[in-house]
Amino acid sequence: MTSNPTACLLIIGNEVLSGRTRDANLQFLATRLGELGIPMREARVIPDVPEIIIATVNECRARFTHVFTTGGIGPTHDDITSECIARAFGVPWEVHEESRALMAADYARRDPPVEFNAARLRMATLPRGAVPIRCAETNAPGFSMENVHVMAGVPRIMRSMFETLAPGLERGRPVVSHTVHADYVYEGQIAEGLTAIQSRFPELDLGSYPYYRGKGGGVALVAKGTEAAEVEAAAEAMFALLAQYGQAQQGEPAPEG
Amino acid sequence: MTSNPTACLLIIGNEVLSGRTRDANLQFLATRLGELGIPMREARVIPDVPEIIIATVNECRARFTHVFTTGGIGPTHDDITSECIARAFGVPWEVHEESRALMAADYARRDPPVEFNAARLRMATLPRGAVPIRCAETNAPGFSMENVHVMAGVPRIMRSMFETLAPGLERGRPVVSHTVHADYVYEGQIAEGLTAIQSRFPELDLGSYPYYRGKGGGVALVAKGTEAAEVEAAAEAMFALLAQYGQAQQGEPAPEG
């Protein structure tokens, strides 16, 4: 997977760090990016503090092929992502005329019409050079600034913006995975055997995940990588390993019920 | 809140970055740490890669009062957190005799007895100088190494380890919050008024969060801080602001149903 492009997610918002809001974007983006061959290599949750946003964006856009941000692009005083991106890139933060016109037309069409006030105009204010990301869920754009893709924090809107963006992203080889599991088999039993399988497939990412169901449970073993044949061969070996200790099964275990 | 101790969470695990597993620890820890007056200032999800774990731990333990880690302390080859913490601190990673003895006694008591093999012994292997964190959910310890607190990734075990740890943590003033909301009121309407309230209470963290319910929705406004009287005064002002545009209500909106 080393030659694939990489992704980093920045979740911007005090509400996630305070526990008020449970993030719902990381898992969606991790999954979709894996499918596109742009594996997520890191995610950070950072507060609504300009210096931290700016420093983190600049660190991460240098380290990863793509940086995705969620949150902080609404109309209120705590929505400072867009302005911070402009500062990170050292460009003016200015009204984006095409976005302003589209928003004005949309607000005017509403019944009753919505006032396009200064707060709402902030959502049409972008770093100079930004490419807007439009979607059907809102008239306010996200935007890309070079390899930094700025999206809303509301999951429904974020997903829609991401799907607007996805066709234009530089892709890698999709990450494929194969999971096997066995009830009443425990990590401490299969650890040594799994290490041996990992050394046979150094390019793959093999993971071991215990699961619990009431007083029972077991272990799920996952092989991931971009070489489908290797993933299948490793999954076969993991299945045989589990079968030494219990009843090996294909796929993820059923959720606790 | 500036004089409070601070916390950073490191979620260690490829399974979160691949989308296989949805993290369930961030929100719990963010909430509990806020209650203890140790606000979480940053969280990172990082992969099972030694160099990244070591560099991130060393960066964050210098920046925050406390660093909490979740994940990677089981018996399999991908459980490398403990060894990486030893490397981050430049100390040997060695069998912790008391932990070994406790685990051996526990495995021997099982019916049938469980073999205390090399993989399980890894879970009794700690950085020299670590203080174990024991809990009722497992015989394998977490541990604290100075200001770095290493916990399991399984939420049930993590919570139990955290509650073992909590009484000994240096605390600050608890963060209190007050939420008000109004249906059919939108951020674009109240943004300017909220900015004015924020400038009256510069020490508080005021947040604005739209919510959606089918075709409706509204906005929730949250005041947070360590000065309860200020939080109440700000909440009163936010309530009055919402009342200008709709029916202001106390507390969080009911979840979408």
Side-chain angles (χ1 to χ4, degrees), chain A residues 131-154:
Chain A
V131 177
I133 306 172
R134 307 202 189 284
C135 76
E137 301 290 332
T138 174
N139 64 17
F143 63 87
S144 296
M145 188 72 191
E146 298 181 12
N147 63 334
V148 179
H149 311 289
V150 175
M151 303 184 291
V154 175

Side-chain angles (χ1 to χ4, degrees), chain B residues 115-133:
Chain B
E115 183 200 0
F116 195 7
N117 59 19
R120 290 183 171 115
L121 188 61
R122 294 182 75 228
M123 297 193 287
T125 309
L126 305 181
R128 184 179 291 174
V131 177
I133 305 172

Side-chain angles (χ1 to χ4, degrees), chain B residues 174-195:
Chain B
V175 179
V176 296
S177 78
H178 190 136
T179 302
V180 295
H181 74 278
D183 291 346
Y184 308 112
V185 173
Y186 301 102
E187 286 194 305
Q189 297 174 291
I190 52 83
E192 200 182 328
L194 189 62
T195 302

Side-chain angles (χ1 to χ4, degrees), chain A residues 14 17-20 22-23 27 30 41 43-45 47 77-78 117 119 156 188 191 198 205-206 208 212 252, chain B residues 14 17 19-20 22-23 27 30 41 43-45 47 77-78 117 119 156 188 191 198 205-206 208 212 224 252:
Chain A
N14 293 343
L17 289 171
S18 73
R20 177 187 185 271
R22 184 175 180 194
D23 166 73
Q27 190 177 31
R41 292 290 188 222
R44 296 193 192 182
V45 187
H77 72 282
D78 53 339
N117 60 18
R156 179 175 47 83
Q198 178 73 78
D205 168 22
L206 303 190
S208 167
Y212 302 89
E252 292 279 348
Chain B
N14 293 343
L17 289 171
R20 177 188 185 270
R22 183 175 180 194
D23 166 72
Q27 189 176 33
R41 292 292 187 221
R44 296 194 193 183
V45 187
H77 72 282
D78 54 338
N117 59 19
R156 179 175 46 83
Q198 177 73 78
D205 168 21
L206 303 190
S208 167
Y212 301 89
K224 277 184 191 289
E252 293 279 347

Side-chain angles (χ1 to χ4, degrees), chain A residues 7 17 58 73 112 117 128 191 209 215 217:
Chain A
L17 289 171
N58 278 335
I73 61 168
N117 60 18
R128 184 179 292 174
Y209 307 108
K215 291 190 181 296

